[in-house]
Amino acid sequence: MSKPLEGIKIIDFTHVQAGPACTQLLAWFGADVIKVERPGSGDVTRSQLRDIPDADALYFTMLNSNKRSLTLDTKTPEGKEVLEKLVKESDVLVENFAPGALDRMGFTWERLNELNPKLIVASVKGFSDGHHYDDLKVYENVAQCAGGAASTTGFWDGPPTVSAAALGDSNTGMHLAIGILTALIGRGQTGRGQKVAVSMQDSVINLCRVKLRDQQRLDRVGYLEEYPQYPHGEFSDVVPRGGNAGGGGQPGWVLKCKGWETDPNAYIYFTIQGHAWEPICRALGKPEWISDPNYATAQARQPHIFDIFATIEAWLADKTKYEAVDILRKFDIPCAPVLSMKEIANDPSLRASGTIVEVPHKERGTYLTVGSPIKFSGLKPEITGSPLLGEHTDEILSELGYSKDQIANLHTSRSV
Ligand code: CAO
């Protein structure tokens, strides 16, 4: 099966998570992604949080599948020359170095554009260009705090809380991938490359747009009826943390199921969809609630929504989370079990769909990773293991026209 991005060559000058998540996605869909890494050490994640001594850590392997690895010291004259050759032959350069690092290396946008006017130069930074924090180095949780996610996540009586989901890192990488594909289509129209920049703060804000919605509603009316603070608690002038409340017009909460006393994940998420009220009442064995004026409308339910959740929890007390969902799904009620990572790793449906895949690796044997969450009718992305450090150095150099002797010299000078 041919892959849509076959023929697109990408210089993957990325590290840690935000950049690698972007280029990995493009590699799945057929791009030739050449990961450029410092000789000797490589991407810092190769050795971070290792579970097997001396083998590439899962942090690296799970973000760098389907790529080739070229070791290159881009600060030596020989290394710069190799990079320049690569730039002339590539379609995209992706980087997520600290602000100014690429310029300090001598590869400003102007220089790259001069070397290859068709090149798309894509960058992740913590903050956008011109922002008063644009000189900052940024990691995941910093972005979640600067992007409004932390102030609106967690419980009202606790501190701002970050999410386990990589809203700052992988999410930014996904935004950048969209930017790159857009620029590639744009290049097809103009014949010219361009600079594509995505900031981690902006990407988090983009996912927090419903909280900006809430800020404006709060400014106007002084309360937010879908938050647990309504109607009994207090609102200040900023969007509060709403615990596990549903973020839209459908109230919901995480509810205890059988075994919650010992199993930290024996819970389901239960949504009270307005038009599903009748089936909910039937599922719970509370048909009298259907026409009771205290329960019949969403507005009537809101003041005592937590009493309703308590009644549902009483119904759930003798049911596992799976049993509960199996009953509720028959009534068309939007709900799901709270799944642990262990359950996700072993879920047969996720294995069958290719969302969780086991891939071979030269040092590790096999490892589990997340495959493409995007499914196509005409493409089945095949996930391959991540490359060892410098595994493809000689191969890539010879593709660039270097002779065996020249490659040997580059090794001797430690430029590759
Ligand atoms: N050859 C030679 N030098 C190389 C090289 C190579 N192949 N690859 C990297 N380097 C150099 C860089 O040029 C830089 O050198 P200078 O500081 O002398 O300019 C140096 O390595 C360190 O790069 P860095 O500053 O990007 O790395 P760091 O570990 O200090 O910071 C991070 C890491 C992520 C905080 C920073 O890169 C950053 O803020 N990136 C942008 C935001 C981002 O993507 N964050 C998400 C990370 S995922 O959680």
Side-chain angles (χ1 to χ4, degrees):
M1 195 185 285
S2 76
K3 297 180 184 145
L5 297 188
E6 250 162 27
I8 301 289
K9 192 183 266 192
I10 298 183
I11 303 171
D12 181 13
F13 225 171
T14 71
H15 63 161
V16 203
Q17 183 172 171
C22 165
T23 48
Q24 175 173 257
L25 185 94
L26 301 172
W28 290 338
F29 305 152
D32 178 13
V33 175
I34 298 172
K35 174 125 184 154
V36 178
E37 298 177 83
R38 232 190 308 215
S41 51
D43 188 327
V44 68
T45 58
R46 284 190 185 266
S47 55
Q48 270 181 355
L49 311 174
R50 269 190 173 136
D51 58 323
I52 301 176
D54 301 326
D56 283 335
L58 288 163
Y59 198 3
F60 178 84
T61 63
M62 293 180 71
L63 285 157
N64 291 285
S65 63
N66 298 55
K67 303 181 183 178
R68 297 197 286 167
S69 168
L70 163 72
T71 47
L72 190 63
D73 185 336
T74 53
K75 284 184 174 164
T76 68
E78 297 86 348
K80 282 187 202 298
E81 196 186 296
V82 174
L83 186 64
E84 286 187 5
K85 277 190 198 251
L86 207 49
V87 162
K88 287 181 186 160
E89 296 201 351
S90 295
D91 300 282
V92 186
L93 181 149
V94 191
E95 64 91 22
N96 68 319
F97 292 126
L102 202 59
D103 293 0
R104 286 194 290 279
M105 233 181 251
F107 292 97
T108 59
W109 156 245
E110 290 73 20
R111 175 72 185 132
L112 290 166
N113 194 238
E114 181 184 65
L115 287 168
N116 178 358
K118 294 181 87 171
L119 186 76
I120 290 154
V121 179
S123 301
V124 166
K125 296 287 167 269
F127 294 87
S128 60
D129 239 6
H131 188 284
H132 56 275
Y133 287 149
D134 71 1
D135 56 331
L136 280 179
K137 290 188 174 186
V138 169
Y139 283 107
E140 172 69 56
N141 292 346
V142 177
Q144 289 201 28
C145 290
S151 71
T152 52
T153 302
F155 283 79
W156 43 92
D157 52 355
T161 303
V162 295
S163 164
L167 308 178
D169 282 339
S170 280
N171 168 45
T172 306
M174 300 305 109
H175 277 81
L176 192 67
I178 295 167
I180 291 168
L181 295 173
T182 305
L184 279 168
I185 292 172
R187 189 181 73 173
Q189 296 159 352
T190 65
R192 299 196 64 80
Q194 61 178 305
K195 220 167 131 179
V196 181
V198 180
S199 90
M200 295 168 74
Q201 181 192 36
D202 292 356
S203 301
V204 175
I205 290 173
N206 191 28
L207 294 198
C208 287
R209 64 177 56 227
V210 296
K211 298 297 174 182
L212 188 57
R213 170 202 70 189
D214 293 347
Q215 185 60 51
Q216 295 173 84
R217 292 167 58 222
L218 185 66
D219 291 343
R220 190 174 303 274
V221 297
Y223 63 88
L224 299 164
E225 71 255 30
E226 75 282 24
Y227 281 63
Q229 289 81 350
Y230 177 85
H232 311 296
E234 296 274 309
F235 284 92
S236 72
D237 61 349
V238 299
V239 174
R241 293 185 270 287
N244 287 316
Q250 322 293 344
W253 203 253
V254 168
L255 301 179
K256 292 170 188 155
C257 295
K258 183 176 161 186
W260 68 271
E261 299 88 342
T262 50
D263 176 355
N265 296 306
Y267 291 81
I268 60 167
Y269 198 88
F270 192 104
T271 310
I272 302 185
Q273 204 184 8
H275 63 261
W277 180 242
E278 196 173 319
I280 289 171
C281 298
R282 295 200 193 289
L284 300 177
K286 289 270 180 199
E288 67 276 15
W289 279 1
I290 296 172
S291 52
D292 184 331
N294 278 324
Y295 293 89
T297 65
Q299 210 177 9
R301 291 190 289 273
Q302 199 57 34
H304 54 111
I305 195 82
F306 281 94
D307 296 334
I308 296 173
F309 288 140
T311 305
I312 302 172
E313 276 191 339
W315 179 82
L316 290 166
D318 63 350
K319 297 167 190 71
T320 67
K321 59 186 177 185
Y322 297 112
E323 289 165 352
V325 170
D326 276 343
I327 296 170
L328 297 171
R329 70 199 296 188
K330 296 193 182 94
F331 292 86
D332 222 10
I333 294 168
C335 62
V338 171
L339 295 179
S340 68
M341 289 318 296
K342 189 170 184 165
E343 288 165 320
I344 285 171
N346 297 311
D347 187 309
S349 295
L350 295 174
R351 294 288 184 120
S353 69
T355 298
I356 299 292
V357 287
E358 201 164 331
V359 294
H361 185 266
K362 291 197 172 72
E363 290 171 339
R364 305 186 56 91
T366 58
Y367 67 94
L368 214 56
T369 190
V370 184
S372 173
I374 307 171
K375 316 293 182 197
F376 303 88
S377 63
L379 165 71
K380 189 165 176 16
E382 185 203 339
I383 314 299
T384 61
S386 62
L388 300 180
L389 179 61
E391 187 177 337
H392 305 95
T393 300
D394 291 4
E395 174 184 301
I396 293 163
L397 290 172
S398 89
E399 285 168 11
L400 285 174
Y402 284 90
S403 68
K404 279 195 173 146
D405 285 348
Q406 286 171 317
I407 294 174
N409 286 339
L410 283 167
H411 280 287
T412 311
S413 71
R414 293 173 188 256
S415 294
V416 297

